[in-house]
Amino acid sequence: MRSMMAFAALLLTMTACTQVPQWTLFYYPDAEPGAAEALQHQGELDQHISGYYQELEQCLAKGAGMVKLSQTGSGSYLCGERCQRNEAGELKCQRLETRVSQ
């Protein structure tokens, strides 16, 4: 009985570590601040993936930090929720978010 409880606890711990991230960060290092929304309509989102996050705020904070730390002083980002490939192989997200004042 004791070993069964230990196994159940181990199983719960392992499943907690394998959660699928909800948010994908898309970073455009050479774009003007705020330009990412226009760029995402040109496709090829998957070439600009810079990380995966559980929470929107984590994703937005990382994107803002990357812009702030850029060598060129430029850069733009978007955070996509539950991004997946469609039948045509294109990466599509349920919604895209960015901070109003990048």
Side-chain angles (χ1 to χ4, degrees):
M1 179 71 167
R2 191 176 218 174
S3 62
M4 187 178 240
M5 290 179 72
F7 177 74
L10 177 64
L11 186 60
L12 287 174
T13 304
M14 288 176 53
T15 57
C17 295
T18 59
Q19 289 183 339
V20 176
Q22 298 296 311
W23 294 93
T24 303
L25 173 62
F26 301 99
Y27 178 66
Y28 301 83
D30 299 322
E32 291 298 317
E37 288 178 323
L39 292 170
Q40 66 94 16
H41 294 294
Q42 296 174 6
E44 301 177 355
L45 281 174
D46 53 345
Q47 294 181 10
H48 300 280
I49 294 174
S50 293
Y52 302 96
Y53 304 91
Q54 288 297 332
E55 303 292 330
L56 174 60
E57 284 304 314
Q58 294 170 326
C59 183
L60 293 173
K62 181 63 176 190
M66 290 178 75
V67 170
K68 186 175 181 179
L69 294 173
S70 71
Q71 298 290 324
T72 62
S74 64
S76 191
Y77 64 93
L78 288 169
C79 292
E81 182 179 28
R82 296 187 183 131
C83 301
Q84 296 182 18
R85 295 209 179 276
N86 63 15
E87 296 82 26
E90 301 169 319
L91 189 63
K92 297 291 182 182
C93 303
Q94 287 186 0
R95 71 177 171 139
L96 294 165
E97 295 285 335
T98 189
R99 289 209 196 278
V100 176
S101 58
Q102 281 188 33

